[in-house]
Amino acid sequence: MQRLQLAEHQTCEDVRLTSRQLHALQGSAASVDISPASLNGRWDLRPGSKIGVVRLPDLTVEIRPKLPIERVLFLISYTLDRLDFPGEVVDLAQPPNLVEAMVQLFHQAVRQATGRGLLQGYQTREETLNVVRGRIRIEEQLRRRYGIAVPIEVRYDEFTPDIEPNRLLKAAVQRLAWLPQRSPNTRRLLSVMRAVFANVSTVEYRPANLPEVAVTPLNAHYQPALALARLILRSGAVELAAGKVESASFLIDMNEVFEDFVVVALREALGLTEYTFPQEARGRGLWLAADQKVRLRPDISWWQGDRCVFVGDAKYKRTTVHGAQTHDIYQALAYALAAGLPSALLIYAHDDQDRIDPVIYDIREARKRIEIDVLDLRGQPAEILERVKRLACKVRQHRAEAPADSLAA
């Protein structure tokens, strides 16, 4: 089995791949840019912002993040309400990959959710029995049994743990188990979780069509685990052949992780609700022109009534020597124009040793100001959250500059 270890946004040169491996990798990890090297049969591989593991029949590719694994887990777990962050991953004989770290985080979430036992609910069953249970299905009894008394077609409600929330959690466990595991501790945690859901049906969910579970007082404690299960199921893909796993991948987009963290952390620091501080302006209308043909979805926006009083975007990418990338400035300018605001804020992820000071672009022709700032992701979680509070102060400053009619709306 050939193993490759790649690093996020870094080129790995002169890698030998067979034509079969090349086509399989292109199909399973489209985010990896593959270009020919100087020699025939050798290739240069450059991953994008998706990190994780791709398992092929004769090739395993690991894409490691530029951040430490513990930092990635913190960013993910912070957006999941009431999920206790484990702090650091268990020491392994080898440095943990994202899948093994995710198994530990998911085990923590499942343990919190099922600590009081599996959630149960009523499921309607239709069966053929020798005794009456629930209601007799008269039409089916006559159609199938021609008046014979036994067996009996019945319908009844059963109080069982075999319900959608538990099926989603079990599906996420199964998805992780299909991926390569190097650590005995990781395999042990997967076995523990499989035992927890032993009496729950196995369902294979499509990543683009995951069912929603309505939040109720009875299942509120399940929500962090369900949110993490959805992330696992959305990020994973499996190809089966002859009943066996032909290929499996688990790739998380760090663009989405960073955006989710910035929105949730800023919302908390500002003391706002999801309604007044939505992500991607969900439930709101922000249009570039009066004809409402071009809808804009900024990562960050603050609303007062039906008026936008602050707008910004989160970028998980490196700034240039002069600050933001040009197309990002155009994007922020469009947000400011659509919202009728004098300014917009771009927040870049930052993990380098050199400090980047905020940059301001004063676009006089449009009478707009685009400010660039960075969120340093180095250090401990408490230090990162303190930096978020500094950015929250900057958000308040931008909001205070909104036109008076916006503030009064």
Side-chain angles (χ1 to χ4, degrees):
M1 170 71 73
Q2 183 180 356
R3 294 182 180 274
L4 289 177
Q5 188 172 101
L6 309 178
E8 179 189 1
H9 291 300
Q10 293 184 18
T11 301
C12 183
E13 299 179 344
D14 205 31
V15 177
R16 179 178 292 279
L17 295 175
T18 66
S19 59
R20 179 182 177 184
Q21 290 173 335
L22 175 64
H23 293 138
L25 185 58
Q26 289 174 328
S28 300
S31 60
V32 177
D33 181 57
I34 305 176
S35 57
S38 56
L39 297 176
N40 187 30
R42 293 185 176 273
W43 306 86
D44 293 338
L45 310 181
R46 181 179 175 82
S49 61
K50 290 189 176 182
I51 60 173
V53 176
V54 179
R55 171 189 150 192
L56 304 172
D58 55 353
L59 175 66
T60 297
V61 179
E62 178 185 347
I63 305 173
R64 298 186 67 83
K66 58 186 179 183
L67 299 174
I69 290 291
E70 292 88 347
R71 201 89 41 79
V72 176
L73 291 188
F74 165 67
L75 296 180
I76 292 173
S77 64
Y78 192 83
T79 63
L80 307 178
D81 185 30
R82 295 192 304 279
L83 175 57
D84 295 335
F85 174 58
E88 55 184 38
V89 294
V90 177
D91 290 335
L92 303 172
Q94 304 180 58
N97 61 32
L98 180 65
V99 172
E100 292 170 324
M102 185 61 69
V103 169
Q104 296 177 51
L105 182 62
F106 190 52
H107 175 261
Q108 176 80 1
V110 168
R111 188 171 63 177
Q112 286 182 224
T114 62
R116 293 175 287 174
L118 285 181
L119 188 68
Q120 298 192 57
Y122 285 101
Q123 290 287 310
T124 299
R125 310 286 194 194
E126 293 183 351
E127 293 184 358
T128 302
L129 303 176
N130 291 324
V131 296
V132 176
R133 183 176 182 183
R135 296 184 178 183
I136 299 176
R137 302 162 64 202
I138 301 295
E139 293 183 1
E140 285 298 303
Q141 186 71 21
L142 293 175
R143 185 176 69 84
R144 293 186 179 187
R145 308 300 169 193
Y146 305 104
I148 299 176
V150 178
I152 308 168
E153 301 294 332
V154 298
R155 179 187 292 114
Y156 62 92
D157 291 332
E158 182 180 24
F159 194 60
T160 173
D162 192 12
I163 55 178
E164 200 79 84
N166 291 325
R167 293 171 187 167
L168 280 166
L169 296 181
K170 183 174 183 176
V173 174
Q174 184 68 27
R175 187 65 56 86
L176 291 172
W178 279 335
L179 295 162
Q181 315 292 336
R182 298 177 304 184
S183 164
N185 180 66
T186 304
R187 292 192 288 270
R188 180 185 64 82
L189 295 180
L190 287 169
S191 297
V192 169
M193 289 189 285
R194 279 197 291 261
V196 169
F197 300 108
N199 295 324
V200 177
S201 299
T202 300
V203 179
E204 181 58 29
Y205 294 99
R206 295 179 179 273
N209 191 28
L210 298 177
E212 290 293 333
V213 177
V215 181
T216 69
L218 295 178
N219 67 17
H221 63 291
Y222 255 56
Q223 294 308 313
L226 287 173
L228 191 53
R230 289 192 187 93
L231 173 63
I232 292 168
L233 294 172
R234 286 198 311 267
S235 304
V238 176
E239 182 179 335
L240 301 174
K244 296 183 178 180
V245 176
E246 181 71 13
S247 66
S249 63
F250 179 74
L251 296 171
I252 289 180
D253 192 339
M254 287 300 297
N255 290 315
E256 297 178 3
V257 171
F258 180 68
E259 176 190 326
D260 292 346
F261 172 76
V262 169
V263 173
V264 172
L266 278 177
R267 184 187 295 151
E268 182 178 277
L270 293 166
L272 300 176
T273 65
E274 188 174 354
Y275 179 77
T276 55
F277 202 80
Q279 186 171 1
E280 297 182 343
R282 293 191 184 108
R284 305 291 188 161
L286 190 62
W287 307 91
L288 187 58
D291 58 10
Q292 296 191 351
K293 291 184 178 179
V294 181
R295 187 170 185 173
L296 303 180
R297 302 181 186 276
D299 297 337
I300 316 165
S301 57
W302 187 344
W303 295 77
Q304 189 159 341
D306 60 352
R307 298 294 301 273
C308 182
V309 295
F310 164 80
V311 70
D313 226 34
K315 301 293 184 183
Y316 183 76
K317 59 176 72 170
R318 298 182 186 277
T319 55
T320 65
V321 176
H322 304 290
Q325 300 188 24
T326 303
H327 56 273
D328 294 341
I329 297 174
Y330 290 155
Q331 186 180 34
L333 177 59
Y335 293 157
L337 288 169
L341 297 173
S343 63
L345 177 64
L346 284 174
I347 301 174
Y348 281 80
H350 178 53
D351 65 339
D352 295 330
Q353 297 299 320
D354 298 330
R355 177 174 174 77
I356 297 178
D357 293 322
V359 178
I360 295 178
Y361 294 90
D362 192 358
I363 306 174
R364 297 180 182 177
E365 294 79 0
R367 296 183 180 179
K368 304 295 179 185
R369 190 180 80 257
I370 308 301
E371 184 170 4
I372 316 300
D373 209 330
V374 295
L375 176 58
D376 191 344
L377 297 176
R378 293 173 296 173
Q380 297 301 311
E383 296 175 297
I384 298 173
L385 293 177
E386 282 300 316
R387 296 172 194 137
V388 171
K389 291 179 181 179
R390 180 187 64 81
L391 287 174
C393 293
K394 189 154 292 186
V395 170
R396 290 193 183 95
Q397 293 172 4
H398 281 263
R399 184 222 180 234
E401 297 171 0
D405 58 341
S406 294
L407 297 175

